Amino acid sequence: MSLIMPVAGIIVATLTFLVSSNASMPNSNRIILGLVSIIIICFTFMNFYLIKNISNNYALQKENLVANKEKEIYRLEIANSERYIREVSAIKHNIKNQLLCIETLIDEQNYIEAKKVCNNINDNIKITAHMYKTGNVYLDAILNIVYAKAKENKINLIVNCNTNLRFVECDDLLILIGNLVDNAIEALSTEQRKEVKIDILQKGEYAILNIQNYCSRSVLKTNPNLVTTKKDVKNHGYGLNSIKRIVKKYGGAITFYEENDYFYVNIMLEIPNIP
């Protein structure tokens, strides 16, 4: 539809030019019609340029809207994760006090009361705490959320981290790790072997984020452009564009490849102000 007006303008301009080339027409009329055809062509290209810009801006706004929705969801999950961490810390504090109590009771040979305290500890622990501690509270929260998602989907998650990506803004971390892990989890929904590995490493002046997931069939052969396969295309498919934009923001590079039945996403981000 966006091409109809430009094409119609070019046709009208061409017809006007052909009419002006009629030898029997006075020179003044031919000059006027020639100028009219040039003006129509100029306005046609300007119109086409404006339509293209409007279309690009609309796509960017929609991409940002979807990204903002995803970030808001992750912010809520981060808040829940932080609350969970505080609750676990409180439980650990209580357990420490109870262990001191048990030690005192054992020293006093009051084994019955010591056993009661042990049973009380066992009853109070409803969850098994699993927390990542990288030194970056945002990265910790994101990794803990990822762990919960992997556990919910019965996926074996392996995390290897020797740097905390502190120089990357929280929202950017959400998009990078959140989108890539969500994609990996979705890809594993049809796989028997459910495994995701995240490597966050520093090599020289670059931080490396590598996320890999098992794939029994080649993704790049069937979907080389990594176009979203979700049914709701209008609200999905923007993740990869957002990731590429963030990678560019940090002067990095992103590559996709497959090796030994694993799909890899490898991101290099330039670390600022290396001493």
Side-chain angles (χ1 to χ4, degrees):
M1 290 294 292
S2 61
L3 293 176
I4 292 177
M5 291 184 64
V7 171
I10 292 173
I11 292 172
V12 171
T14 302
L15 291 174
T16 303
F17 180 78
L18 291 174
V19 171
S20 67
S21 62
N22 189 345
S24 62
M25 182 177 291
N27 288 335
S28 59
N29 290 346
R30 279 191 295 176
I31 293 172
I32 292 172
L33 287 175
L35 289 173
V36 169
S37 65
I38 292 172
I39 291 170
I40 292 173
I41 290 174
C42 290
F43 273 108
T44 298
F45 281 104
M46 287 176 63
N47 181 59
F48 180 77
Y49 177 77
L50 289 173
I51 291 174
K52 184 179 179 182
N53 276 354
I54 291 171
S55 177
N56 290 340
N57 289 335
Y58 174 77
L60 186 60
Q61 287 175 2
K62 191 167 185 180
E63 178 182 341
N64 288 335
L65 180 63
V66 173
N68 286 334
K69 286 181 180 178
E70 292 176 349
K71 287 189 288 186
E72 189 60 33
I73 292 171
Y74 265 91
R75 284 195 189 100
L76 292 174
E77 290 179 325
I78 284 176
N80 292 333
S81 179
E82 290 174 342
R83 184 167 56 252
Y84 167 78
I85 291 171
R86 288 195 299 270
E87 291 174 355
V88 170
S89 298
I91 291 172
K92 287 173 64 179
H93 178 73
N94 291 335
I95 290 175
K96 183 179 179 180
N97 291 334
Q98 288 172 316
L99 288 174
L100 289 173
C101 180
I102 291 170
E103 184 180 357
T104 302
L105 291 170
I106 290 174
D107 289 341
E108 295 174 354
Q109 297 184 354
N110 191 346
Y111 302 119
I112 295 176
E113 288 300 321
K115 185 177 180 180
K116 287 182 180 179
V117 177
C118 288
N119 291 333
N120 187 44
I121 292 174
N122 187 54
D123 292 338
N124 287 334
I125 298 177
K126 303 297 184 183
I127 54 174
T128 301
H130 184 98
M131 292 187 294
Y132 293 98
K133 294 183 179 179
T134 66
N136 181 349
V137 63
Y138 298 116
L139 180 58
D140 293 343
I142 293 167
L143 290 177
N144 286 317
I145 291 167
V146 166
Y147 174 81
K149 285 187 175 183
K151 188 176 180 180
E152 181 183 350
N153 289 275
K154 298 180 180 179
I155 293 171
N156 180 30
L157 176 68
I158 302 169
V159 177
N160 180 25
C161 180
N162 70 7
T163 186
N164 57 26
L165 301 177
R166 189 180 292 276
F167 67 95
V168 181
E169 295 177 11
C170 174
D171 286 350
D172 294 340
L173 274 179
L174 291 177
I175 292 174
L176 286 178
I177 299 177
N179 272 287
L180 292 176
V181 172
D182 284 349
N183 290 343
I185 290 175
E186 183 189 359
L188 289 172
S189 62
T190 58
E191 297 286 358
Q192 293 294 323
R193 183 175 177 181
K194 300 182 182 295
E195 185 174 285
V196 174
K197 185 177 180 182
I198 302 175
D199 291 318
I200 304 174
L201 311 169
Q202 180 175 343
K203 290 186 178 180
E205 298 180 354
Y206 288 89
I208 309 296
L209 171 61
N210 186 285
I211 297 179
Q212 54 186 275
N213 62 271
Y214 177 78
C215 60
S216 57
R217 292 168 293 180
S218 174
V219 176
L220 296 177
K221 284 183 180 178
T222 57
N223 188 8
N225 296 321
L226 300 176
V227 178
T228 181
T229 56
K230 296 179 181 178
K231 294 181 180 179
D232 188 7
V233 178
K234 290 183 178 179
N235 291 317
H236 295 98
Y238 295 108
L240 186 56
N241 290 333
S242 298
I243 289 168
K244 287 180 177 179
R245 190 167 62 249
I246 291 169
V247 170
K248 184 178 179 181
K249 173 181 174 180
Y250 291 92
I254 181 170
T255 54
F256 306 91
Y257 62 96
E258 293 171 335
E259 188 177 283
N260 298 326
D261 294 329
Y262 276 85
F263 177 79
Y264 292 80
V265 181
N266 191 74
I267 293 175
M268 295 178 61
L269 303 175
E270 187 175 358
I271 304 174
N273 301 324
I274 295 292

